[in-house]
Amino acid sequence: MTNDYKDIDFNQLKKGGFIRQQGPDLFIMRLRSIGGHLTSRDLENIARLARKYGRGEVHLTTRQGVEIPGVRLADYQALIAEIQTLQLLPGACGPRIRSIVGCPGKEVCPNGVVDTREMARQVDQAFFGRDVPVKFKIAIAGCHNACTKPRENDIGLQGVVYPQLAADRCSLCGLCQSICPGGAIKIIADRVTIDRQKCCGDGACVASCPTGAWTAGARGFVLYAGGKMGRRPRLGDRLFDFIPEDEVIPRINSILQVFIKYRQGNERLADTIERLGSGGFRELIPPLSREEVAAGGRD
């Protein structure tokens, strides 16, 4: 690094996704997607920026972002100006909330039961880049297949839809019983029953019912908290069995507040939950007020 750069705040650059890499005076420009969504025009523009400012290549990150390696510090201002003009989104690094990972959701995936793209947009708008004591990661999955690995993130949302039965439309064909992955649906003495504790919220009964007897009831998310990878990987705990879509933002906010208040040292959320116990941490989270839900949980 030359002396010309001795007064530059590299931590501030890192906050905006401009990260030092191997090699003298070389940086990576990290761009983010929201839930993995990029347009074909975005990809064309990223390719052009990589040729102009980098070495003509990109790296796809595990958080559905794009990194342009080989950027010179002297080109930073010009590159950022073009990124803003092209309406691309810089990423982030360091102790802050990282890019929101999401699957295609019900708009694309046959298994999806929630609109993950819209939820990712809301979560990104509310939380991305917020300064927190340590890095913090959020992932959203649209169904029980959990392709985005919600349990490996600090907070993971997994979409569910819980069915309700219009018994007068049921023909007792038994299809729902045969396809229910959790064995929650049973036909006993010509009567359909469902064990809500076994229902995984996958919506298969709703999607396949030939008479429309099964319909979508409550739609929302299971919330996992305390997942992480790294040297001491840990799967997140199932902190809330069901959160309606309009309560996701304030609920994440309340978890963040508890974490920031009760964490010790360099703890990640996983470490704080492990120390306090899942039940103990859960008890510290206050119930949401109507005002919080109406405001979307934003500070």
Side-chain angles (χ1 to χ4, degrees):
M1 188 64 58
T2 67
N3 291 331
D4 295 338
Y5 305 140
K6 62 182 180 180
D7 296 325
I8 290 176
D9 187 346
F10 290 106
N11 286 328
Q12 190 65 25
L13 293 180
K14 193 175 182 181
K15 182 177 180 178
F18 199 63
I19 307 161
R20 295 173 73 170
Q21 69 168 77
Q22 292 284 0
D25 191 29
L26 290 179
F27 291 75
I28 293 168
M29 183 69 236
R30 177 176 292 174
L31 302 171
R32 81 182 191 274
S33 69
I34 298 178
H37 181 76
L38 292 168
T39 67
S40 57
R41 180 60 58 86
D42 290 335
L43 295 174
E44 291 168 356
N45 287 331
I46 291 170
R48 185 175 61 79
L49 293 177
R51 290 191 296 269
K52 183 175 180 179
Y53 295 102
R55 55 194 189 200
E57 63 184 56
V58 299
H59 169 70
L60 302 180
T61 75
T62 57
R63 300 203 65 76
Q64 300 177 329
V66 178
E67 293 178 341
I68 300 174
V71 180
R72 299 286 178 181
L73 181 58
D75 292 328
Y76 171 72
Q77 294 295 342
L79 173 56
I80 285 295
E82 285 206 49
I83 286 171
Q84 292 173 344
T85 299
L86 296 170
Q87 297 184 319
L88 295 171
L89 302 173
C93 192
R96 51 196 52 90
I97 296 178
R98 306 294 183 83
S99 299
I100 312 304
V101 172
C103 70
K106 70 175 184 177
E107 299 303 308
V108 174
C109 179
N111 294 317
V113 297
V114 292
D115 186 347
T116 53
R117 182 174 173 184
E118 172 58 22
M119 184 52 64
R121 185 195 67 78
Q122 293 180 28
V123 174
D124 177 271
Q125 184 179 46
F127 297 108
F128 171 76
R130 181 186 293 190
D131 289 331
V132 288
V134 291
K135 62 184 177 182
F136 200 95
K137 300 179 179 181
I138 302 172
I140 307 172
C143 74
H144 67 291
N145 288 329
C147 297
T148 52
K149 303 177 178 63
R151 293 193 68 187
E152 294 180 10
N153 284 257
D154 293 275
I155 287 181
L157 300 169
Q158 184 173 312
V160 289
V161 57
Y162 292 120
Q164 57 187 16
L165 179 68
D168 60 320
R169 294 203 295 266
C170 180
S171 66
L172 297 174
C173 70
L175 179 59
C176 57
Q177 177 179 253
S178 65
I179 66 171
C180 179
I185 298 175
K186 301 292 183 185
I187 298 177
I188 302 172
D190 292 336
R191 181 173 175 268
V192 179
T193 64
I194 180 168
D195 184 341
R196 296 291 177 183
Q197 296 300 314
K198 293 182 178 180
C199 178
C200 63
D202 68 302
C205 54
V206 176
S208 62
C209 182
T211 64
W214 285 111
T215 59
R219 193 185 301 272
F221 295 90
V222 173
L223 187 146
Y224 295 99
K228 68 172 184 175
M229 299 309 290
R231 294 182 179 88
R232 293 180 58 244
R234 181 184 190 275
L235 292 179
D237 297 333
R238 186 173 175 128
L239 215 59
F240 291 91
D241 290 331
F242 181 77
I243 298 177
E245 293 171 315
D246 62 350
E247 293 184 11
V248 166
I249 302 301
R251 180 52 68 206
I252 293 175
N253 203 47
S254 66
I255 292 171
L256 274 168
Q257 290 173 353
V258 171
F259 167 54
I260 292 170
K261 181 177 180 179
Y262 289 97
R263 66 182 292 273
Q264 295 179 358
N266 294 319
E267 286 182 341
R268 292 276 302 274
L269 178 59
D271 306 313
T272 303
I273 291 178
E274 201 165 68
R275 175 171 53 81
L276 297 175
S278 182
F281 186 90
R282 173 68 176 81
E283 289 177 0
L284 294 170
I285 301 171
L288 297 178
S289 67
R290 291 183 179 179
E291 292 76 15
E292 285 177 307
V293 174
R298 294 175 179 83
D299 292 335

